[in-house]
Structure formats: C-alpha cells, structure tokens
Amino acid sequence: MTGPGIPQGATTPATTSKKDLHEILLHQIALAENEARELDGEVAEDRLDSIARLKKLIELGDEIRVRRASRRLASAVVVGGLMVSGILLTTRVGRVAISVEATSAFVAFHPTSSHTLLAPLLGTRSIRALGLDSITVTGLASGRDSTFRASKVEFTALAPATMSVASVLIVPRQPVRLGVADGELHVSVGPTSRGIKLELNGTIVIRGDALNSVSLRDGSAQLWYGTNDVQLVAGIIDSTTRAVTTHAGINALELFQLSRALARTDGQPQAVSEIQTGKLIFPSIDNSIEQLGPDEALQLSELEGELSAVQLTARGFVVRFRGTATEVLADNGISSRNLKPTLFSYLRARHTAVLVWTSIAWVLGTVLAMTRWWRRPSA
C-alpha cells in the first residue's frame, strides 16, 4: 500500500536511497503544481503533507549523514593523534650523540687509530707480564744482551730502584683492557708484533719461567706478544694522577666485566658494572643526563667517537668519551633498560615550536570533532 500522493510502484521513503527520496520529492512537487493549475491553485492537503514529510525525512537523513561523517572525522583525529603520540613516546631515535663521563675501576676499548699506552708509568715497584712469546733484556752485569723465550716474567725493584713502562704502541682494532685493584694496574692488550718496552732503573731482579734471578742496573726489556693476549700487572707506589693512554678514536667502550660466577639463566656471563660514579649525557636532547653507577652495566653498540686520555687516579680511571651509538642500554643482570631518547624527547628538544603548535592543533581538532560528534539532530 502506498501513501497519499506516492506513485504506484515507488518504494517508501524509509527504504529508499538519498537519490530516490529527492526524486520522489521532485515528482510530488511536480504533481502538486499540475494539481494547482487544474484546480485553480488548490492542492490536496494529503499531497502537501506528503511533500512536508518527504522534505523532513530528507533533512533528517542529511543531518544524520553529516553527524556520522563528523563522528568518523572525530574518530580519525583522536585515533590518529593517539597512534602518532604512541609512536613518538615509544620509538627510540636511531644513532644518537652521547657523552660519557665516569670514574671506573675497569675500562676496555677498541681503537680505530694507533695510539700510545702507558707513556710513561712512573713509581712502579714490580711488573708482571703473562702471555709472552719472548723477551730481550739489556743492561745485564755481563754487558751482553739476553734474549730468551718466556710466557711469563716478573721484574721486581730492589730499593731504591724504580721502574717505568716506556710505551705500549696500540694498533687499530687491537683490544685494550685496563683495570686497577689493590694498588695494582692491570693491562691486557691483543697480539701485535710491536711489543712492550719497559725502562728498568736501579737494581732489578728478574724472574721468569726460563730465567731464575738476574740483577741489572740501568737496563731495559722488550716484551713481545705471543698468540694470546698479554697481561701486564704493575704495582703502583704512589697515587699521583697520570694519563695511561693518549687520545684515541674508538669503536667500542666497556666499563663492565663479564662474570661467569653471576651467569644468567641462559648460561651467559653477566655484565657487572665497574663504574663508581658517572653520567651519560645526550647533547642533542638538551644535554639530558642519565646517572651511571655500579648497579647497572652500561652497554653501547656500534660506537663511533673519541676517547680522551684515560687518567689513572686514586679512585680509579677517569674516562671521557664523545661520540655516537645505535644502542644504549643499562643492564642490571635481570633486565635491560633502554636509555636512548624517544622521538618525542628528540622533537621536544630540537623542534619545540613545531611540536607545541602541532599539539595545540591536535587538541583543538579533537575538541571540535568531539563537539560535532555529540551534536544531536535538530527537531
């Protein structure tokens, strides 16, 4: 059954599309015009009511569609803003500029250029070397140099004798590890044909696995590396601050040691921080600072930068590094904490104005969209 004035075969307004409703309305208006011409301006009341209902229905449909569009826009603004905010707050920057300033009982690094280690170390009462291939000693009482193969050797100064390490020339990519404990300096370096040169002054006793005891005055010893890393242990007499390395470019820096006694659940040795006090600075993020200490081991990946001359003090090694890294983690043995800044922190530090105005625009857009969302159709 069709309503008054609705053509036969036409669907009802409730089941027609927007285009059909407009066509029906235009058709009804045309019929009303014809009716008015035929009846001297008179139009059936039921036809006028039908036209009014169609017009009201079309207006209501248009308003509902606008409201739905507003809700979709509001949803897009809110969800899009939340997604962008989530990305900015959780995604870390890629390679980041860092600065490390720390006092540590241990430091290890890989140089990218040649530099000199222990030049010179004064006030040494004894020196032990392990992992050698051979040794040449000059200044013997016999007046002749002595060369012999040895895997270990010990030099002990008899008062008032003193000793110093003249130089250890480090080549690129040769690992260097420095430690200090109980008044002794521990040095471990990788294989190289250059060796270590010791300056021996006064009366020195030499003990080794191929040489029992020899005394000499004003001599020197050239230690040659073997196939293994060489370990050098020097007993320090005083606590005078001195540089134990020269300035060097490096691509790895460790201020922790691996402990198998504190192995993880997967059997891998745990990294134990040797840092006493220190800080990690992000120069590009408003010089924001992360405090460093013995509770968490600082782990840096794909490092590039410059290591200032490492200073040996009574408290340990003073280390200063400037460069970049792709990963910056703090490991407490149970979990790792990512110290790299987020994209939000980077934008806040480097593009503050853009971030502020973007945030204001998003808030205003959200408020406007929500207002249109809850707006009800007019009666």
Side-chain angles (χ1 to χ4, degrees):
M1 178 176 179
T2 60
I6 298 179
Q8 295 291 331
T11 57
T12 62
T15 59
T16 56
S17 65
K18 177 182 177 182
K19 182 178 179 181
D20 293 334
L21 288 176
H22 281 83
E23 290 177 350
I24 293 171
L25 178 61
L26 292 175
H27 180 68
Q28 291 298 316
I29 292 173
L31 292 177
E33 290 176 347
N34 291 334
E35 212 175 280
R37 283 194 295 271
E38 292 175 358
L39 301 176
D40 296 328
E42 294 292 331
V43 179
E45 185 176 347
D46 58 349
R47 190 177 299 282
L48 293 176
D49 291 341
S50 176
I51 292 174
R53 286 196 299 270
L54 282 171
K55 182 180 179 182
K56 185 64 177 179
L57 184 60
I58 290 173
E59 290 175 350
L60 181 60
D62 289 342
E63 189 164 354
I64 291 174
R65 280 186 288 274
V66 169
R67 186 180 178 191
R68 288 175 177 172
S70 298
R71 288 190 172 185
R72 287 194 294 269
L73 175 61
S75 299
V77 171
V78 174
V79 173
L82 292 176
M83 290 181 61
V84 171
S85 299
I87 292 172
L88 292 178
L89 291 172
T90 58
T91 304
R92 306 284 175 170
V93 297
R95 178 167 289 275
V96 62
I98 62 171
S99 175
V100 177
E101 298 179 6
T103 299
S104 175
F106 176 83
V107 55
F109 58 92
H110 290 186
T112 56
S113 58
S114 298
H115 75 291
T116 303
L117 180 67
L118 307 178
L121 177 64
L122 302 176
T124 302
R125 61 177 179 267
S126 65
I127 297 176
R128 302 192 308 275
L130 306 174
L132 302 175
D133 181 63
S134 64
I135 177 174
T136 299
V137 181
T138 64
L140 293 169
S142 62
R144 299 176 61 183
D145 296 347
S146 177
T147 300
F148 56 93
R149 298 184 64 84
S151 61
K152 60 183 179 180
V153 68
E154 180 177 355
F155 302 89
T156 304
L158 300 179
T162 60
M163 293 183 294
S164 65
V165 179
S167 65
V168 181
L169 185 60
I170 306 299
V171 299
R173 293 174 296 281
Q174 176 179 308
V176 178
R177 293 171 290 278
L178 304 173
V180 60
D182 300 325
E184 290 186 331
L185 171 66
H186 297 254
V187 181
S188 177
V189 291
T192 175
S193 60
R194 298 180 181 274
I196 303 174
K197 185 177 181 181
L198 305 177
E199 295 292 345
L200 310 174
N201 303 305
T203 301
I204 308 298
V205 176
I206 306 173
R207 295 182 178 88
D209 52 4
L211 187 65
N212 290 325
S213 179
V214 175
S215 297
L216 70 156
R217 295 179 62 85
D218 301 327
S220 66
Q222 184 76 36
L223 309 180
W224 297 98
Y225 292 98
T227 56
N228 299 318
D229 294 350
V230 170
Q231 299 179 30
L232 191 68
V233 181
I236 306 169
I237 293 177
D238 58 63
S239 58
T240 304
T241 298
R242 61 179 67 86
V244 293
T245 74
T246 55
H247 183 88
I250 63 173
N251 59 15
L253 175 66
E254 297 175 359
L255 301 177
F256 61 86
Q257 296 196 72
L258 297 177
S259 172
R260 295 194 176 276
L262 300 174
R264 297 174 178 271
T265 54
D266 58 2
Q268 296 298 317
Q270 179 178 322
V272 179
S273 174
E274 295 288 348
I275 297 175
Q276 298 170 6
T277 59
K279 56 185 178 181
L280 172 68
I281 305 171
F282 295 98
S284 60
I285 316 295
D286 286 338
N287 286 318
S288 62
I289 297 175
E290 289 281 349
Q291 296 298 327
L292 304 175
D295 296 331
E296 294 179 310
L298 177 65
Q299 298 184 342
L300 307 171
S301 300
E302 297 184 32
L303 201 68
E304 292 182 6
E306 301 293 326
L307 179 67
S308 299
V310 176
Q311 303 288 322
L312 175 61
T313 69
R315 298 184 58 198
F317 299 105
V318 175
V319 180
R320 293 184 176 87
F321 170 80
R322 304 288 186 277
T324 61
T326 57
E327 291 294 338
V328 185
L329 303 176
D331 188 349
N332 62 8
I334 300 176
S335 60
S336 294
R337 184 165 58 98
N338 196 334
L339 300 180
K340 280 204 312 181
T342 61
L343 291 176
F344 178 82
S345 299
Y346 177 82
L347 291 175
R348 183 183 60 185
R350 303 303 296 268
H351 304 284
T352 305
V354 174
L355 184 62
V356 168
W357 284 110
T358 302
S359 300
I360 292 174
W362 178 72
V363 171
L364 292 177
T366 301
V367 172
L368 178 61
M370 294 300 294
T371 301
R372 298 185 65 182
W373 177 310
W374 293 110
R375 187 183 64 184
R376 297 186 177 278
S378 57

